[in-house]
Amino acid sequence: MTPEQIKLALEALIGEERVRLDGEALDIYGRDWTKIHAPKPRAIAFPRTTEDVQKIVQFANAKNIALVPSGGRTGLSAGAVAANNELVIVMDYMNKVVEFNAIDRSVTVQAGMITEQLQHFAQEQGLYYPVDFASAGSSQIGGNIATNAGGIKVIKYGMTRDWVLGLTVVTGKGEILNLNKGLIKNNTGYDLRHLFIGAEGTLGIITEATIKLTRVPKNLTVMVLGVPNMTAVMDVLKTFQGAMDLTAFEFFSENALAKVTAHHPLQRPFATAMPYYALLEFEAENEGVMDLAMQLFEQCMEAGWVEDGVISQNETQLQNLWSLREFISETISHETPYKNDLSVIVSKVPEFLTAVDTFVEETYPGFEIVWFGHIGDGNLHLNILKPKVMDQAEFFEKCHLVSEKVFTITQQFGGSVSAEHGVGLVKKDFLHFSRSPEEILYMKAIKQAFDPNKIMNPGKMLDS
């Protein structure tokens, strides 16, 4: 079918002015934050309800048209890129609160709700949604669930998966499923909800989600510590985590800090420049907790694991210290970074980071490396910046070779080639570094059951 024919047919199903073919829409909604694949969608559809989505999927099955679900388009694995004449289903208008239950401390929302909007809604109810990351102002709940997003609070609160009580989905067959229905306990066989969490839209489209909320943390406090090496970072983590509950434990390199402070009106946490910085967050509910934190800080100083540090005294200082970490991605995005999202067991982080550093520095000495990540859960973000004198195509070609070696190192450490951003197009060819041939066959069998015509986000994660 031509795009014009698709537009007429879909508008008859879901309403007028719900499909766009103009070049601006094709460019905006056919891509995500990755820069490798040029967008080339056939048309863009804007459903408002689960039933609209069902009609689109049924139509796509009948006409053998591939579909790409599009949320906030903040992904870094090209999971929402439409590069092969697909029909894009944009969830932007499905952004309403469906139901709130104060007793259950749960809220059901449409999948297009912005993460930050959910956080604000929870706050208005005197509750808290703890899954948080730098893209919370534009990422959508459906996309978070489809990639099982993690972020900065995983050490205490876990991944998105841990907060999903129920899902409404439209399968690749065009069937509507209501999964788990918000239950906390439900031991009635396979929990299909968890198949859709992290499936990247390859099994169907999430249209609604019932999300668990929790109490608001009390008096969050941040410390930023200057640390001489990665082994010392782990000693700091062990010391603090062994004595108190942390809500976050992040790290970033001096290179990352220098770029952030050069491009934003933020001050360094202290005058001393250190190879690495650890950012700790905890609830200072009383003076006893604060006293304990200071005792642990002094203990780390005496052991030589920390050489300097600062602690937030108010909300403004807390936000400024967090900005040193959260502004890194946005700052380096202007330098055409090659980004990799990796994880290993927490105890293996220093050895793993050193192995990757050594390989990159020896093989491509002109490449600038920027490290940061969620050290408390073993998730590292490797960023390599394109040399100014190098052509972009040449840079991405070299980075593809870097990826293969980095993923080989990741495999040797028993890690994951994608900690929280998903597989998409970018890492599909490297899936075997983290999944066995048997696992991949089972994954393909699951896709076949939900999407027999292979119309749901084809080419992402799996070849077929």
Side-chain angles (χ1 to χ4, degrees), residues 263-409:
H263 289 85
H264 297 276
L266 294 167
Q267 293 184 342
R268 283 179 162 271
F270 35 79
T272 311
M274 298 297 299
Y276 297 102
Y277 301 87
L279 184 152
L280 298 72
E281 184 187 73
F282 57 92
E283 293 182 78
E285 298 185 62
N286 52 58
E287 287 296 325
V289 174
M290 189 65 78
D291 290 343
L292 174 60
M294 296 310 297
Q295 291 173 14
L296 297 173
F297 167 69
E298 291 171 4
Q299 180 180 331
C300 291
M301 288 277 288
E302 292 172 0
W305 303 329
V306 171
E307 295 190 18
D308 210 338
V310 64
I311 188 166
S312 62
Q313 301 297 320
N314 52 51
E315 180 67 21
T316 299
Q317 290 181 6
L318 180 142
Q319 294 301 330
N320 286 341
L321 291 174
W322 262 118
S323 294
L324 296 175
R325 161 64 181 85
E326 292 195 312
F327 285 2
I328 298 172
S329 283
E330 184 273 331
T331 300
I332 65 176
S333 66
H334 306 291
E335 300 190 46
T336 311
Y338 154 85
K339 303 176 75 68
N340 229 319
D341 159 44
L342 310 159
S343 72
V344 293
I345 294 172
V346 176
S347 60
K348 296 182 179 180
V349 165
E351 188 181 356
F352 172 74
L353 187 149
T354 299
V356 173
D357 262 350
T358 300
F359 158 69
V360 175
E361 290 169 1
E362 290 179 352
T363 311
Y364 300 101
F367 282 3
E368 182 180 6
I369 300 174
V370 177
W371 283 104
F372 65 92
H374 321 295
I375 206 76
D377 52 54
N379 180 190
L380 304 174
H381 294 297
L382 166 64
N383 301 269
I384 300 175
L385 306 185
K386 184 183 78 67
K388 293 181 180 179
V389 298
M390 185 176 291
D391 176 73
Q392 182 167 304
E394 180 187 358
F395 176 64
F396 283 132
E397 182 180 347
K398 290 182 181 297
C399 285
H400 190 79
L401 300 175
V402 169
S403 287
E404 188 151 359
K405 177 59 179 178
V406 168
F407 293 151
T408 299
I409 296 172

Side-chain angles (χ1 to χ4, degrees), residues 29-32 34 37-38 66-70 77-88 146-147 198-203 422-429 431 443-444 447 451 454-464:
Y29 298 107
R31 66 170 72 238
D32 60 13
T34 53
H37 303 276
L67 299 174
V68 172
S70 176
S77 294
V81 171
N84 294 295
N85 218 29
E86 302 98 335
L87 169 61
V88 177
T147 56
E200 300 182 38
T202 60
L203 305 181
V423 177
L425 289 172
V426 172
K427 296 190 175 181
K428 180 181 66 173
D429 293 342
L431 184 62
M443 291 167 70
K444 289 182 176 181
K447 179 170 174 64
D451 180 31
K454 298 181 173 60
I455 65 166
M456 293 306 310
N457 220 5
K460 314 296 172 52
M461 190 189 303
L462 300 167
D463 285 322
S464 60

Side-chain angles (χ1 to χ4, degrees), residues 41-179:
R42 192 183 311 192
I44 315 295
F46 298 87
R48 265 67 168 181
T49 66
T50 296
E51 289 70 28
D52 282 352
V53 175
Q54 181 183 38
K55 290 173 183 177
I56 296 170
V57 174
Q58 290 174 340
F59 168 79
N61 270 294
K63 303 299 181 180
N64 194 31
I65 297 172
L67 299 174
V68 172
S70 176
R73 297 171 292 283
T74 59
L76 295 170
S77 294
V81 171
N84 294 295
N85 218 29
E86 302 98 335
L87 169 61
V88 177
I89 301 181
V90 175
M91 307 302 288
D92 290 14
Y93 293 99
M94 295 183 63
N95 58 3
K96 306 293 190 299
V97 172
V98 178
E99 181 183 5
F100 170 68
N101 192 307
I103 294 176
D104 293 327
R105 294 204 296 189
S106 69
V107 59
T108 300
V109 301
Q110 290 181 305
M113 175 168 279
I114 301 295
T115 308
E116 195 171 70
Q117 291 177 331
L118 175 58
Q119 293 169 338
H120 289 162
F121 177 84
Q123 188 176 22
E124 290 167 0
Q125 315 309 316
L127 295 168
Y128 185 61
Y129 180 61
V131 181
D132 197 14
F133 26 74
S135 63
S138 50
S139 67
Q140 296 178 6
I141 293 300
N144 295 349
I145 296 169
T147 56
N148 189 28
I152 58 178
K153 308 280 188 175
V154 171
I155 189 173
K156 179 175 176 63
Y157 296 106
M159 306 280 280
T160 296
R161 181 184 304 278
D162 299 297
W163 297 89
V164 179
L165 294 172
L167 291 176
T168 299
V169 303
V170 177
T171 72
K173 289 183 177 180
E175 299 168 339
I176 297 174
L177 300 180
N178 294 306
L179 305 175

